[in-house]
Amino acid sequence: MIFNSLIVWLQFLILCVSSESGPLEDVVIDRYDIPKICPREVQMGDFVRYHYNGTLKDGQKFDASHDRGIAVAGFVGIGRLITGLDRGILGMCVNERRKLIVPPHLGYGSIGVPGMIPADATLYFDIILVDLWNRKDEVQITTLEKPSQCNRTIQDTDFVRYHYNGTLMDGTYFDSSYSRSGTYDTYVGSGWLIKGMDQGLVGMCAGERRKIIVPPFLAYGEKGYGSIIPPHASLVFHVLLIDFHNPKDGITVQNQVVPQDCKRKAVTGDYVRYHYNGTLMDGVLFDSSYSRNNTYNTYIGMGYIIQGMDAGLQGVCIGEWRRIIIPPHLGYGEKGAGNSIPGSAVLIFDVHVIDFHNPKDSIDVEVIHKPEICNVTSKTGDFIKYHYNCSLLDGTILFSSYSYENPQQITLGTNKVIDGLDMGLIGMCVGEKRTVIVPPHLGHGESGARGVPASAVMKFEIELIHREEGVPDGYLFIWLADTPNNLFEVMDLDKNGEVPLEEFSTFLKAQVEEGKGRFLPGVDREKSITDMFINQDRNKDEKITADELKLKTEEEEERVHEEL
């Protein structure tokens, strides 16, 4: 190309010198404005479109395509143009400007053009080339930018969404998807596009940028398109591929990070709590659970979420990370959703599964350590003391008894803790350590609690510190042996016919020391004694008589009799 340009330039210099001494023998060419980038020059047989101003030697204009607003079009070197133009256009680049001096014998000769060009006239042309192509041309593809990862490229029958700027070869703008604030959406290879675009889009990756040059016979041909694309125009498209899919596509699962300890995988009917970032294929974020600081909670496989997510969450493990790519027919379809998800958009969800459970689940108990000797285990009604750490399944610590001076203490079966923990504390030996997984319906349910998210599965790490027999509900003291027949006489230590609080207390404590009775564990003993004394001191004179003393069983029998 550079070699040809030098030859033309030298030719111009020689002819300029010779023109001073006699008639011109060839075209004089002045390349006064050459583009910095010239991928191709005019050759014989090319089809060109150009604008020109034509004048005579005295400067009188005889013709101008600019006045008509339509570029001249034709093949070069096959006799369709005057010889001087055929020669003068050779070697031109698109957007190059030239001045040509055409001697009469290479123009209209001794005949001229009646009423326009005199006989034997030298012609002066100021030309700008606006388009150039050849019947042998194919679509020209230049990759401007390509993603580092590209798992799949466009094939025929794929549905694509892309942005583009469309210009003619000289840079004249004719259309842009950006001006409409929406992508151009269509099938590839199905005749919905001009042939050149069908060819130019094949092989693209999502996120790729291409420059696609389409010759007119693969575009709008001899007719052009309306007033915006002239006949015989080559088209230049700068394309950014947003996404694509095939109507036959299912979901795609990528980038799985599965915990080593995965005892169970989610199935239809499970309730899953997960975090996600949702993006389009070009990386635009359309939604995120993190922005709301709450997980997304739902049943899977039951139609509560889009089909693609229903399928994509099948088989997840607790703690798993995975990417789920969802084609639009399994997402929000041709209509999209709101202002954030366009119609026919492929969706990408980067998911982190926090936990899941099934409404039919019970607790899951794993014994971590058990003493070698374990003759007695905890049961309903027992008073126990235990230490625990409570966390979510992602490791988030919620509560810990180690934050306090004393361990937690409860009587099992008295509804003082959530059902799942109460169940998990049954059957333990003192010194035993276990992990208890509690589903939300046995924990804090759909509403959650302070510090506990709604529908959260909880993990308890428990160590039993102390266990002792409890007493029946509603009792402060029970006999472990038969109750003395002469209870008041035994209780009346000084035999004066009345029992004050001090004497009442001394008697009960002695029964416990002798193994004949047991107080309600976990309650201050002195308070229990005082409460029992107040209950027996029916006339509130601070002493109990034989008539006032009644066992709880006797009181209950009297109550039943009164009700009957």
Side-chain angles (χ1 to χ4, degrees):
M1 182 185 73
I2 296 175
F3 178 71
N4 291 340
S5 300
L6 287 174
I7 291 177
V8 173
W9 181 247
L10 290 173
Q11 182 186 40
F12 165 69
L13 291 177
I14 294 169
L15 291 175
C16 281
V17 174
S18 64
S19 67
E20 296 177 359
S21 57
L24 295 175
E25 295 182 359
D26 205 345
V27 179
V28 177
I29 301 172
D30 177 8
R31 303 182 70 182
Y32 70 91
D33 189 356
I34 304 174
K36 292 182 179 179
I37 300 175
C38 180
R40 174 178 168 186
E41 296 177 345
V42 177
Q43 299 177 6
M44 297 288 285
D46 284 344
F47 190 95
V48 296
R49 290 193 310 113
Y50 60 93
H51 273 295
Y52 71 91
N53 284 320
T55 60
L56 303 176
K57 187 173 183 179
D58 60 1
Q60 180 181 347
K61 182 167 65 174
F62 63 81
D63 194 19
S65 65
H66 295 284
D67 295 344
R68 295 186 294 274
I70 300 176
V72 178
F75 288 98
V76 176
I78 62 172
R80 299 287 181 88
L81 305 174
I82 60 173
T83 304
L85 281 177
D86 258 348
R87 296 182 183 181
I89 291 174
L90 287 174
M92 284 192 80
C93 306
V94 173
N95 284 328
E96 180 180 342
R97 293 177 179 270
R98 286 185 177 184
K99 291 182 179 179
L100 306 179
I101 303 175
V102 179
H105 65 281
L106 298 179
Y108 292 97
S110 59
I111 299 176
V113 178
M116 180 182 295
I117 299 173
D120 296 318
T122 299
L123 306 179
Y124 295 79
F125 290 93
D126 193 339
I127 296 178
I128 178 171
L129 186 68
V130 296
D131 200 349
L132 161 65
W133 55 274
N134 193 286
R135 281 290 182 186
K136 297 179 181 179
D137 286 348
E138 297 177 347
V139 174
Q140 298 177 48
I141 298 173
T142 304
T143 299
L144 306 177
E145 184 180 341
K146 194 169 186 177
S148 57
Q149 290 187 344
C150 181
N151 297 319
R152 176 180 163 190
T153 61
I154 292 176
Q155 304 296 325
D156 283 346
T157 74
D158 283 343
F159 188 88
V160 296
R161 297 194 314 118
Y162 62 92
H163 272 301
Y164 70 90
N165 284 319
T167 64
L168 304 180
M169 285 286 285
D170 63 351
T172 301
Y173 161 89
F174 65 80
D175 194 19
S176 174
S177 64
Y178 295 98
S179 66
R180 296 186 293 275
S181 300
T183 55
Y184 191 84
D185 307 342
T186 188
Y187 287 94
V188 174
S190 300
W192 291 29
L193 292 166
I194 58 173
K195 291 182 179 179
M197 280 299 280
D198 261 343
Q199 296 176 22
L201 291 170
V202 170
M204 285 191 79
C205 305
E208 182 177 340
R209 294 179 183 270
R210 276 186 180 181
K211 179 181 178 182
I212 302 172
I213 301 176
V214 182
F217 54 87
L218 295 175
Y220 294 98
E222 297 179 3
K223 294 182 179 181
Y225 187 82
S227 60
I228 58 174
I229 298 177
H232 299 292
S234 300
L235 306 181
V236 181
F237 293 93
H238 282 81
V239 174
L240 168 60
L241 182 62
I242 302 301
D243 69 30
F244 67 96
H245 73 280
N246 195 284
K248 298 178 181 178
D249 286 347
I251 64 165
T252 302
V253 176
Q254 298 177 343
N255 303 340
Q256 286 181 263
V257 180
V258 181
Q260 291 183 350
D261 183 16
C262 180
K263 297 180 179 178
R264 172 183 158 193
K265 297 181 178 181
V267 296
T268 294
D270 283 342
Y271 191 85
V272 183
R273 295 194 317 122
Y274 60 95
H275 270 302
Y276 70 89
N277 282 322
T279 60
L280 305 178
M281 284 191 77
D282 60 355
V284 173
L285 181 73
F286 64 79
D287 193 19
S288 174
S289 64
Y290 297 99
S291 66
R292 296 185 292 275
N293 200 31
N294 282 308
T295 55
Y296 191 86
N297 310 331
T298 187
Y299 289 95
I300 64 170
M302 301 175 68
Y304 289 99
I305 48 179
I306 57 175
Q307 292 182 54
M309 282 299 281
D310 252 349
L313 291 171
Q314 294 285 335
V316 294
C317 297
I318 291 173
E320 180 177 338
W321 297 79
R322 65 168 54 178
R323 170 171 288 182
I324 304 169
I325 302 174
I326 301 175
H329 52 276
L330 298 176
Y332 293 97
E334 296 180 3
K335 295 182 179 180
N339 296 322
S340 57
I341 299 178
S344 300
V346 177
L347 308 180
I348 299 176
F349 289 91
D350 287 296
V351 172
H352 179 206
V353 179
I354 302 302
D355 63 39
F356 65 84
H357 72 281
N358 194 283
K360 299 178 182 179
D361 286 347
S362 185
I363 62 170
D364 181 21
V365 177
E366 180 182 0
V367 176
I368 307 302
H369 169 73
K370 195 166 188 174
E372 292 183 4
I373 299 176
C374 178
N375 298 320
V376 181
T377 61
S378 56
K379 64 182 183 303
T380 298
D382 283 354
F383 174 77
I384 62 170
K385 296 180 182 180
Y386 62 96
H387 269 304
Y388 72 93
N389 286 319
C390 175
S391 63
L392 301 178
L393 295 192
D394 64 354
T396 301
I397 296 294
L398 299 178
F399 314 106
S400 176
S401 64
Y402 295 98
S403 301
Y404 305 95
E405 292 183 2
N406 299 312
Q408 182 82 2
Q409 59 184 41
I410 61 165
T411 299
L412 290 172
T414 57
N415 299 319
K416 298 300 183 182
V417 294
I418 58 173
D419 291 347
L421 179 57
D422 202 88
M423 295 164 63
L425 289 165
I426 298 292
M428 291 189 74
C429 307
V430 173
E432 181 178 335
K433 296 180 181 180
R434 62 170 55 173
T435 296
V436 180
I437 306 297
V438 179
H441 52 275
L442 296 175
H444 292 287
E446 295 180 4
S447 301
R450 188 177 64 180
V452 181
S455 300
V457 179
M458 293 185 292
K459 176 181 179 181
F460 288 89
E461 297 170 311
I462 301 170
E463 180 181 5
L464 187 62
I465 305 299
H466 170 81
R467 186 206 71 85
E468 60 181 283
E469 293 280 347
V471 301
D473 189 28
Y475 285 73
L476 296 175
F477 176 89
I478 61 170
W479 294 96
L480 300 179
D482 291 337
T483 307
N485 292 327
N486 53 347
L487 178 59
F488 182 80
E489 294 179 8
V490 176
M491 187 181 295
D492 183 12
L493 301 179
D494 60 5
K495 308 303 180 184
N496 65 351
E498 55 187 28
V499 177
L501 175 60
E502 181 179 355
E503 200 169 31
F504 185 77
S505 174
T506 301
F507 172 76
L508 289 180
K509 289 177 180 178
Q511 304 310 301
V512 172
E513 290 178 2
E514 294 172 11
K516 297 178 179 179
R518 182 170 71 246
F519 283 105
L520 172 66
V523 178
D524 180 74
R525 182 172 294 186
E526 297 301 330
K527 183 178 184 307
S528 293
I529 292 171
T530 301
D531 289 346
M532 291 170 66
F533 181 82
I534 292 173
N535 183 56
Q536 295 296 326
D537 181 15
R538 303 178 192 279
N539 60 7
K540 308 305 177 188
D541 62 354
E542 298 186 355
K543 56 183 179 293
I544 300 171
T545 63
D547 293 335
E548 291 177 308
L549 183 65
K550 288 186 177 64
L551 294 176
K552 189 172 181 62
T553 53
E554 295 173 342
E555 292 178 344
E556 290 175 349
E557 288 175 0
E558 288 180 0
R559 189 176 300 113
V560 170
H561 179 72
E562 289 172 359
E563 291 173 353
L564 291 175

